[in-house]
Amino acid sequence: MCHGYRPEPSAAPAPAAARPASLSPSRAADFMQCPLLYRFRVIDKLPEKPSAAATRGTVVHSVLERLFDAPAAERTAPRAKGLVPGEWERLLGSKPELAELFLREDGSQDADRLATWLADAERLVERWFTLEDPTRLEPAERELFVETVLDSGLKLRGIVDRVDVTPSGDVRIVDYKTGKAPAPRYRETPLFQMMFYALVMWRLKGRMPRRLQLVYLGSGDVLTYDPVEAELLAVERKLRALWEAISLATDTGDWRPRPTKLCGWCDHQALCPEFGGTPPPYPLPVPAPRTAPDDGPAAPAGEAQGRMDAV
């Protein structure tokens, strides 16, 4: 799933830089949005400020997963809402830095802001009961980690919120979103994420998922899509091209920013050339440029991504 980017705790040292070894839906989306953002997150592993919205999404996901531990008759809205404070405390225990989300400027805790935030999470959980009936659901998997290696050698991995399986063996992949459903012209990114999961499940199980379902708790919408083989094969080709572009950028150190309206939400503007910044020194080795006269220059990462976009 995609809960938003979750940086490592700021108190822990960042792991040593290494070549990317696998691709997830969120990191694929990062590179397609902005190659430099991908570098900052995957190669440099730069810390990012915790987000109240992303953290709320994590808590809500945890509640909806844990609710299925209870017998069907006990999966009620009051019970689910009652799980919210405990899941927040559990998350805070593992990520103490999240406490800064609810601090005043003087460093004291803002209890009113925390209470409002918890109430918002409870409303999202309650809305889910208007969209699905958990007393009639018995998920085959929850928070399922999936990983497969394509014939090309590319390793794909991710976490699926929920997998439902009918008695006949049909598979439905379900993903919870705590935001609002996007307008039709902006649905490509969430659909790509779901097609990514469908491809991985198909390659793992040998059977194509029958349905993909996005549950938008922020707006109360449920979007469904039934994939076909040709579409999943096209996604596989796109992922191969995307990985080639990432590999080329990794080899050359050429990670170009792609300015969009989303730049306003980025934590790394101070390091971005589009905003007058300078990225940190590239932490991976870069081969010396070729000097033979008959050797043309290597294709820049931007050109490689252009080929990927054309797939």
Side-chain angles (χ1 to χ4, degrees):
M1 91 203 100
C2 293
H3 297 170
Y5 178 67
R6 301 182 200 171
E8 294 296 323
S10 56
R19 289 183 62 89
S22 62
L23 195 60
S24 69
S26 53
R27 299 294 78 84
D30 284 345
F31 189 85
M32 290 187 290
Q33 175 186 325
C34 174
L36 185 59
L37 175 64
Y38 178 98
R39 178 203 146 169
F40 285 159
R41 286 179 167 173
V42 178
I43 305 293
D44 298 289
K45 298 179 174 62
L46 298 182
E48 297 184 356
K49 297 177 182 178
S51 157
T55 303
R56 182 172 53 233
T58 301
V59 169
V60 170
H61 278 75
S62 297
V63 168
L64 298 186
E65 178 196 7
R66 189 167 296 274
L67 183 66
F68 284 104
D69 291 338
E74 298 177 19
R75 298 170 194 162
T76 64
R79 181 187 182 94
K81 290 170 61 179
L83 293 174
V84 169
E87 290 306 306
W88 159 241
E89 291 297 332
R90 183 195 301 267
L91 180 62
L92 184 62
S94 63
K95 295 181 177 293
E97 70 276 10
L98 294 177
E100 67 185 66
L101 290 170
F102 307 106
L103 296 181
R104 298 187 180 93
E105 291 185 3
D106 63 3
S108 62
Q109 186 180 50
D110 190 332
D112 290 340
R113 192 194 310 174
L114 175 59
T116 299
W117 182 86
L118 288 171
D120 287 342
E122 290 174 358
R123 277 192 290 271
L124 292 173
V125 167
E126 189 172 32
R127 180 170 289 154
W128 177 61
F129 286 81
T130 69
L131 306 175
E132 295 191 286
D133 181 359
T135 66
R136 302 181 63 182
L137 294 170
E138 290 297 340
E141 302 285 355
R142 290 172 278 152
E143 294 291 314
L144 175 65
F145 174 76
V146 293
E147 181 178 275
T148 191
V149 178
L150 302 179
D151 291 341
S152 62
L154 170 58
K155 180 186 293 185
L156 304 179
R157 62 196 309 176
I159 299 177
V160 180
D161 287 345
R162 198 179 86 218
V163 178
D164 300 332
V165 181
T166 67
S168 63
D170 285 340
V171 173
R172 176 174 64 182
I173 297 176
V174 181
D175 194 73
Y176 307 121
K177 301 292 187 186
T178 50
K180 297 180 179 180
R185 65 181 182 275
Y186 296 122
R187 291 177 183 172
E188 181 179 352
T189 297
L191 180 57
F192 175 77
Q193 172 196 354
M194 297 301 285
M195 296 290 273
F196 184 109
Y197 290 141
L199 173 63
V200 174
M201 293 290 288
W202 182 29
R203 293 306 187 211
L204 275 176
K205 306 294 186 181
R207 183 163 185 170
M208 187 182 308
R210 175 70 178 81
R211 173 154 293 183
L212 311 177
Q213 180 167 303
L214 286 154
V215 181
Y216 283 94
L217 304 176
S219 57
D221 294 297
V222 177
L223 306 181
T224 61
Y225 192 81
D226 297 342
V228 299
E229 181 175 327
E231 292 172 318
L232 294 189
L233 291 174
V235 169
E236 187 170 10
R237 291 193 297 272
K238 181 168 185 173
L239 289 172
R240 283 201 304 265
L242 175 61
W243 191 246
E244 289 174 2
I246 291 173
S247 297
L248 179 59
T250 303
D251 290 340
T252 61
D254 182 8
W255 301 91
R256 300 186 182 184
R258 176 183 284 182
T260 67
K261 294 180 180 179
L262 297 175
C263 290
W265 299 91
C266 184
D267 281 348
H268 308 301
Q269 288 188 12
L271 300 174
C272 179
E274 290 291 329
F275 295 89
T278 301
Y282 189 53
L284 296 179
V286 176
R290 295 175 299 190
T291 57
D294 56 340
D295 276 343
E303 180 182 331
Q305 185 174 349
R307 293 198 298 268
M308 179 272 295
D309 291 339
V311 173

